[in-house]
């Protein structure tokens, strides 16, 4: 079946870049999404990329998509303590009109 | 629009009691999703509706769980009887189209003691 996988934890120093990786199985995905969940809150859409793109940049965020390897990554430049959160990648499940989420990567930013 | 609204924000109940979680989706959104989030299992899709009709309830863990959407602006997730292992954060989300951007509510933190 469809699956989205992420590493569970990432720790970085403030000011460094963070790279969160995700792999997916559904090759028919049109849009792929990154959501952010801050403590005690719901998920909020952070950014997205259309499947015909290889890269999308939005201020400190860069999304890279490797369709051949079905690999999606989110790079956060100049990571700040306010970026500490759980980051989820998500994509449509093939044949079903719903989003599948990865387990989430907990990003911890330390001084 | 105020976004997706869930109530209550927190619920503490005793094992065996009935629990009802409520959700008001964003007006005009045709899709409504119920998710459960735990440390062990991450974010799980329980059920989703399209135009008030349940489409996929394969994620509902047991018959103790039921969900309804009597109209376009209201949905409930009911657990009867509740058990300690049901303790989790339950999220409701809505979207214009099923596989497009989903907007999440703040969640209901359920604790069953």
């Amino acid at each position: 079946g469809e699956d989205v996988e992420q590493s569970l934890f990432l720790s970085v120093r403030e000011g460094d870049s963070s790279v969160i990786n995700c792999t997916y199985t559904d090759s028919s995905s049109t849009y792929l999404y990154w959501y952010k969940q801050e403590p005690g809150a719901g998920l909020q859409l952070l950014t997205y990329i259309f499947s015909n793109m290889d890269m999308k940049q939005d201020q400190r965020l860069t999304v890279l998509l490797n369709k051949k390897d079905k690999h999606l990554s989110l790079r956060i430049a100049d990571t700040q303590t306010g970026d500490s959160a759980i980051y989820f990648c998500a994509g449509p499940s093939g044949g079903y009109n719903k989003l599948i989420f990865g387990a989430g990567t907990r990003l911890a930013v330390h001084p | 629009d105020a976004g997706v609204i869930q109530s209550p924000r927190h619920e503490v109940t005793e094992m065996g009691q009935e629990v009802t979680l409520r959700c008001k989706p964003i007006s005009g959104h045709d899709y409504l999703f119920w998710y459960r989030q735990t440390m062990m299992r991450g974010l799980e899709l329980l059920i989703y509706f399209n135009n008030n009709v349940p489409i996929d309830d394969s994620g509902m863990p047991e018959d103790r769980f039921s969900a309804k959407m009597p109209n376009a602006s209201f949905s409930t997730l009911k657990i009867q009887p509740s058990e300690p292992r049901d303790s989790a954060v339950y999220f409701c989300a809505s979207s214009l189209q099923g596989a497009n951007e989903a907007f999440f509510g703040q969640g209901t933190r359920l604790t069953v003691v």
Side-chain angles (χ1 to χ4, degrees):
Chain A
E2 304 82 12
D3 199 12
V4 176
E5 293 190 356
Q6 304 177 236
S7 53
L8 294 180
F9 188 75
L10 177 66
S11 178
V12 299
R13 185 175 300 173
E14 191 174 11
D16 287 351
S17 292
S18 307
V19 179
I20 302 171
N21 295 301
C22 172
T23 57
Y24 59 96
T25 58
D26 178 16
S27 58
S28 66
S29 296
T30 51
Y31 286 96
L32 294 158
Y33 302 88
W34 283 104
Y35 282 78
K36 178 182 180 182
Q37 183 184 29
E38 296 184 349
L43 282 71
Q44 286 191 306
L45 182 68
L46 193 61
T47 187
Y48 65 92
I49 188 167
F50 191 57
S51 58
N52 68 352
M53 300 169 65
D54 297 323
M55 184 181 82
K56 179 180 177 181
Q57 188 149 2
D58 183 2
Q59 299 183 337
R60 293 190 298 119
L61 305 178
T62 303
V63 180
L64 295 178
L65 176 60
N66 181 328
K67 290 184 287 295
K68 174 176 172 290
D69 295 337
K70 298 182 183 176
H71 182 266
L72 182 72
S73 69
L74 173 69
R75 178 177 180 270
I76 305 172
D78 187 25
T79 311
Q80 303 297 307
T81 55
D83 296 323
S84 295
I86 303 176
Y87 292 82
F88 294 86
C89 64
S93 67
Y96 296 94
N97 212 359
K98 61 183 180 182
L99 280 180
I100 295 179
F101 286 80
T105 299
R106 185 178 296 274
L107 174 64
V109 182
H110 57 87
Chain B
D1 201 312
V4 176
I5 300 174
Q6 291 185 246
S7 64
R9 288 295 310 277
H10 302 275
E11 176 81 35
V12 180
T13 190
E14 291 184 345
M15 183 174 62
Q17 296 297 306
E18 177 180 295
V19 176
T20 300
L21 312 181
R22 297 173 177 79
C23 175
K24 181 180 185 306
I26 293 173
S27 177
H29 282 191
D30 291 334
Y31 287 82
L32 183 139
F33 305 84
W34 282 101
Y35 290 90
R36 177 172 69 175
Q37 185 180 31
T38 60
M39 289 290 288
M40 293 296 293
R41 303 169 74 97
L43 194 67
E44 303 172 276
L45 177 64
L46 301 177
I47 184 171
Y48 78 97
F49 295 82
N50 178 23
N51 291 324
N52 313 338
V53 176
I55 302 301
D56 181 2
D57 65 354
S58 59
M60 296 285 263
E62 300 171 33
D63 291 344
R64 298 184 296 107
F65 286 69
S66 62
K68 293 182 180 179
M69 193 165 185
N71 57 63
S73 59
F74 184 66
S75 176
T76 59
L77 178 67
K78 186 177 292 187
I79 308 172
Q80 165 64 16
S82 58
E83 296 182 4
R85 61 193 167 116
D86 301 330
S87 297
V89 181
Y90 291 81
F91 287 103
C92 176
S94 69
S95 68
L96 282 170
Q97 294 184 19
N100 283 10
E101 179 186 357
F103 293 80
F104 282 75
Q106 293 294 298
T108 295
R109 181 174 294 277
L110 173 65
T111 303
V112 183
V113 297

